[in-house]
Amino acid sequence: MGARAQEVRFAQYVEDWRQKIERVGNINYPSDARGRIYGSLRVTVSIKADGTVAAWGDPAKGGNAPSGLTDVVEIFSTKGAFAALRRDGTVVAWGDSASGGSGVPVGLSRVKTIYSTASAFLALKDDGTVVGWGDSARGGTPPANLAGVIAVCSNTESFAALKSDGTVSAWGRNFNQTIT
């Protein structure tokens, strides 16, 4: 078996394991913690009552949240990084740079929500545009001039954006197309 085939098998194993952990965790998850505790396979992150963040686990995968991070309303994760959406619509990311832990475009603002693949983040802005960062092969570089986005779906390898005109643009591993 070649190196690429082994990489794909390992990625699928990790994703299957993550989904199992998430499924079991959701069954036993305290309702008071929903929207306050987030995690990946090797790190747990919590939004405290005052909007600051605590993280623990593998420092290389986001176990050390940036100091001074405040006003956080939601957290998103890849397999090795985290992105915090702040109350003012700005974003702070940390963790493994190959998984989107760095590279948030300077001046990114007006973000409504964030989506993720295994190694990339995508911010949906309030004007219907999107901004991505992280592993380009796994969706970190959205199509140029993509606008009018009303919904996004992601998996471990790619993103798909539904536009207001009814078309769908998909990109990431094995995609780069518009579907009408």
Side-chain angles (χ1 to χ4, degrees), residues 47-177:
I47 302 174
K48 298 184 203 177
D50 65 358
T52 60
V53 173
W56 55 99
D58 184 351
K61 302 295 183 186
N64 292 335
S67 62
L69 181 55
T70 60
D71 296 323
V72 174
V73 294
E74 197 165 4
I75 294 177
F76 306 86
S77 66
T78 63
K79 68 180 179 183
F82 292 87
L85 179 58
R86 300 176 73 197
R87 188 172 321 285
D88 65 0
T90 60
V91 177
V92 175
W94 70 96
D96 181 15
S97 61
S99 295
S102 63
V104 176
V106 174
L108 178 61
S109 62
R110 299 181 14 235
V111 173
K112 286 181 14 177
T113 192
I114 300 171
Y115 301 90
S116 64
T117 65
S119 304
F121 290 106
L122 184 76
L124 175 59
K125 297 179 63 172
D126 62 7
D127 64 358
T129 61
V130 296
V131 176
W133 68 95
D135 183 354
S136 291
R138 289 189 170 92
T141 306
N145 303 316
L146 182 59
V149 175
I150 58 173
V152 174
C153 180
S154 65
N155 60 34
T156 60
E157 304 284 320
S158 59
F159 292 104
L162 174 63
K163 296 171 44 176
S164 58
D165 65 4
T167 61
V168 174
S169 291
W171 66 98
R173 187 148 302 190
N174 297 325
F175 291 100
N176 276 319
Q177 55 191 329

Side-chain angles (χ1 to χ4, degrees), residues 12-54:
Q12 187 60 54
Y13 169 80
V14 170
E15 177 60 13
D16 291 347
W17 183 240
R18 184 196 66 77
Q19 287 178 2
K20 181 177 181 180
I21 290 170
E22 185 176 311
R23 189 172 46 255
V24 171
N26 284 336
I27 292 169
N28 300 299
Y29 201 71
S31 59
D32 291 344
R34 292 192 192 280
R36 307 299 299 169
I37 299 175
Y38 305 84
S40 66
L41 286 175
R42 296 166 58 181
V43 177
T44 301
V45 177
S46 173
I47 302 174
K48 298 184 203 177
D50 65 358
T52 60
V53 173

